[in-house]
Amino acid sequence: MPCIKPLEKCDSAIYVYDGSFHGFLCCVYERFYSEVMPVDIVASDDEPITLYAVHTVLTNAEKAERVLASISEKISPEARHLIETVFLSCLKQKELLMLNFLLRGYREGRRILSKLGDPDVAPLLKAQKHLLGESHLLKGFIRFSDYDGSLAATITPKNFILPFIASHFTQRFSNENLLIFDKTHKAALVYQNRRMEIISVDNIEFPPISEEEGRYQAMWKRFYATVSIQARENLRCRMTLMPKRYWENMLEVQDLC
């Protein structure tokens, strides 16, 4: 990795961590106890080619827990919840933005969250709203198919929303076996024998649907087409209420993509 000058003589560098939440918290710890200032914080999978020095931050559970506890104590529990949520969002340069927020928060305390228009606060609140809004939409937009007694679906969200929809579906289908595959983030929510887990998985190839499931899918598409009033169709309004980026995984509108 090219660098202008050796790391030990640098006053700034790009922090590289393992991509985990605990790893990010260790970056916060490193910022306090290191003379190296981060100009950016990136996961190791996204490590860029750069002229800045690269500072690798190793994950340490004890350090991470100390930082996590300090957020609630020095700022507020709401600030901790905000950081935990935004970390799972699709916000660009979220790690650096969260670090700047925490540095301000440690100085100013709870009142930092009341500064809604502040450039160190507003992007995080917007990202949190976007993530929670997407998780709410997908509670209604996910379409399951039956595969030999198990219900499975594929989603392609912008944010990592599986932790935010897990309880909704596991409670609603508590007696079923469920699988929701997040193709964007290469992860899957698995619920079996009343136990839930979110796992990493590169891809899932679903088997062909059964003849019975095919009949149910055909009936659902026919019902959707039947209740539609052609003279009152408004495609722009439909795309506002049902964003088109979700259509590829929605049986009734897949053919319109």
Side-chain angles (χ1 to χ4, degrees), residues 87-105:
F87 183 78
L88 300 177
S89 75
C90 60
L91 178 64
K92 293 182 179 180
Q93 291 191 304
K94 60 188 177 184
E95 294 92 346
L96 192 61
L97 292 169
M98 289 189 294
L99 175 62
N100 291 337
F101 167 79
L102 289 174
L103 295 178
R104 287 275 305 278

Side-chain angles (χ1 to χ4, degrees), residues 53 59 67 74 77 83 110 129 167 176 195 211 246 252:
T59 300
V67 173
K74 303 294 185 181
I83 291 299
R110 180 184 297 271
K129 181 179 179 181
S167 62
E176 305 286 350
R195 297 186 64 182
E211 184 176 339
Y246 300 124
E252 63 271 32

Side-chain angles (χ1 to χ4, degrees), residues 81 84-89 128 131-132 134-136 139 159-169 189 198:
H81 178 65
E84 290 173 330
T85 305
V86 173
F87 183 78
L88 300 177
S89 75
Q128 182 186 51
L131 182 149
L132 296 177
E134 184 170 50
S135 65
H136 174 72
K139 288 175 183 177
N159 303 283
F160 186 57
I161 51 87
L162 288 180
F164 298 89
I165 64 174
S167 62
H168 172 81
F169 287 106
L189 185 156
I198 295 176

Side-chain angles (χ1 to χ4, degrees), residues 38-52:
V39 294
D40 200 1
I41 303 174
V42 298
S44 54
D45 291 343
D46 301 321
E47 185 174 345
I49 297 175
T50 177
L51 294 177
Y52 279 104

